[in-house]
Amino acid sequence: HDSATASTFLAAVTRARPTVRLALSGTSVPNGRPMGLYTILRLLGALPAAYSRRTVYGRAFCLGKLKPMGRKRNGAVNWKRAFDGRTDPIGFVEKVFAKAQLRRTKAEAKIQGMPAKVRTRLDVACTWRDRMELAEAEDEAKRITHRLAEELRCDLTDEGIAEDQIELQVRRALLTQASRTHARSRKVLGRIKARAAVDALKELWAQGERPLLFCDLVETADYAHEVFSKAAGSKSAEVWKGTGKTSTLSRQAMMDRWQAGEGKAWVLTRAFSSGITLTSSRVVGFVERYWDPKWELQAEDRVHRIGQTEDCSILVWHVPNSLDDAMDALADWKESGMEGLLGNPWHRKLLPL
């Protein structure tokens, strides 16, 4: 699966026009963005001529190109817009996959012997000092959001955008910038939850578990690694860290050692959330939530995948009455949008071979 606009592989396959085409993707259909399906549909030769151009497809099923706060966006999630009646995604996808076999989950693919996966939310109690720091960070986020919204309204008004579209575009733009406007809140929450995770981590070690602990921000991963290393005491060297800065050769060596049973805990960022197998562990913890739930599903499946023989435990640390609540709501909205698209009867009828 290669979603690059100028993919030489895609161009070669498109020119070849083979009679049989097979596209295999572990992410785009169940988790991803409408634009993530574009390359697969092109490879299958399934796109109607009207949608064959990437830009046309993008305007129909994605947010298209906006410039919130001077940044370009193309191909973002836009299932809600589709369900508002501006396009007909159900009919479109039904037509496209009319002659295709679609397998969306391990259960639907009828993979035998897959162990269970249990997700548990662990609420974190904050101290008075933590709450004060969070309140300051959230006040700062509100000021930044208000300023950006006013700037964007002025820009859209100057461009002659209709009033009924201005607020819609402002809301979308602010959503895309939420990870930036709430950067300080996320860092504070990450530190709070890293400290709170120590007790659970010690219990897991006592039970002989070797958990994978995911963070969204590298800064949080660095802090969590430091805290967990101190908790490990004399075995601090067995608490590992993997981020996007870890070289390819080092990653492979660390994965091989982990699968061989080395290490007590591994603090990871999104760079390690897909494309690798770490089935020697059965516990995954999220010190930080991701803005897009697909990355959490990917991270969970580093342990819950073919080759795993034990039930898997997914732990999510959560600070009530904080940004975590909003991120939960956002994740639910995104997941419900995809379920609304793929959970319809037309999809079910594709399952039998």
Side-chain angles (χ1 to χ4, degrees):
H1 170 224
D2 183 359
S3 59
T5 304
S7 168
T8 55
F9 176 66
L10 171 59
V13 173
T14 303
R15 288 195 301 269
R17 300 184 183 279
T19 56
V20 177
R21 303 185 187 201
L22 173 65
L24 175 65
S25 172
T27 58
S28 293
V29 174
N31 308 323
R33 315 179 315 173
M35 188 56 76
L37 288 171
Y38 174 78
T39 307
I40 294 177
L41 299 179
R42 283 289 305 273
L43 288 172
L44 291 171
L47 273 175
Y51 295 100
S52 60
R53 292 180 62 84
R54 185 183 178 95
T55 52
V56 176
Y57 178 95
R59 284 195 297 269
F61 295 94
C62 307
L63 289 177
K65 290 186 177 181
L66 300 178
K67 295 183 179 180
M69 279 62 76
R71 295 181 176 85
K72 295 183 179 180
R73 296 189 72 244
N74 187 23
V77 172
N78 197 26
W79 299 122
K80 187 174 187 301
R81 175 185 170 194
F83 289 116
D84 287 341
R86 303 188 184 189
T87 58
D88 179 20
I90 304 300
F92 169 75
V93 180
E94 180 178 11
K95 181 178 179 180
V96 166
F97 285 110
K99 297 181 180 180
Q101 294 294 331
L102 182 60
R103 295 292 189 271
R104 190 163 61 95
T105 65
K106 300 181 185 74
E108 290 172 353
K110 298 180 180 178
I111 298 175
Q112 300 296 321
M114 282 301 299
K117 181 171 68 172
V118 180
R119 191 178 181 90
T120 304
R121 193 179 95 168
L122 304 175
D123 286 344
V124 175
C126 293
T127 64
W128 177 83
R129 187 184 296 275
D130 291 337
R131 283 296 176 190
M132 289 294 294
E133 193 174 2
L134 270 177
E136 291 177 3
E138 289 170 1
D139 287 342
E140 178 182 308
K142 290 177 183 178
R143 290 194 298 271
I144 296 174
T145 299
H146 178 74
R147 175 175 57 80
L148 293 178
E150 290 303 313
E151 290 177 0
L152 186 57
R153 287 191 186 97
C154 291
D155 292 342
L156 293 174
T157 301
D158 293 342
E159 293 175 11
I161 304 297
E163 287 188 16
D164 61 336
Q165 291 296 312
I166 288 179
E167 287 305 313
L168 178 62
Q169 293 202 26
V170 167
R171 287 197 299 272
R172 289 175 178 170
L174 292 177
L175 180 61
T176 65
Q177 296 299 310
S179 62
R180 299 176 185 273
T181 56
H182 292 81
R184 183 181 170 190
S185 296
R186 297 172 70 208
K187 292 175 183 177
V188 173
L189 282 171
R191 291 195 295 269
I192 292 172
K193 290 188 284 188
R195 293 192 295 268
V198 169
D199 290 338
L201 192 58
K202 289 180 178 178
E203 289 183 14
L204 290 171
W205 285 337
Q207 297 167 11
E209 303 291 353
R210 301 163 55 244
L212 305 176
L213 300 155
F214 282 91
C215 303
D216 189 23
L217 303 175
V218 174
E219 182 176 325
T220 303
D222 291 340
Y223 181 82
H225 179 254
E226 179 182 350
V227 171
F228 299 158
S229 295
K230 289 180 180 178
S234 61
K235 296 185 177 180
S236 59
E238 296 185 42
V239 178
W240 301 356
K241 179 178 67 174
T243 69
K245 298 177 182 179
T246 308
S247 68
T248 302
L249 292 177
S250 296
R251 291 187 195 190
Q252 187 59 56
M254 294 173 78
M255 287 187 289
D256 292 342
R257 291 170 55 200
W258 187 265
Q259 285 294 82
E262 296 185 39
K264 287 175 62 69
W266 200 353
V267 180
L268 301 166
T269 61
R270 195 167 66 183
F272 282 77
S273 66
S274 62
I276 61 176
T277 297
L278 299 172
T279 49
S280 64
S281 296
R282 69 173 200 89
V283 179
V284 171
F286 291 99
V287 179
E288 282 183 309
R289 299 296 303 275
Y290 292 122
W291 287 100
D292 193 330
K294 74 175 183 181
W295 290 112
E296 292 187 5
L297 292 172
Q298 284 290 325
E300 293 169 10
D301 283 353
R302 296 317 95 215
V303 299
H304 188 254
R305 58 195 297 111
I306 295 174
Q308 180 60 264
T309 59
E310 299 182 66
D311 291 347
C312 297
S313 179
I314 311 301
L315 307 177
V316 181
W317 282 274
H318 180 96
V319 177
N321 302 315
S322 72
L323 181 63
D324 280 353
D325 292 335
M327 295 185 73
D328 278 351
L330 179 64
D332 291 342
W333 177 79
K334 290 185 175 182
E335 289 176 354
S336 64
M338 188 60 78
E339 284 299 317
L341 178 64
L342 295 178
N344 281 270
W346 70 265
H347 168 251
R348 302 299 169 189
K349 73 183 181 184
L350 295 178
L351 293 179
L353 288 173

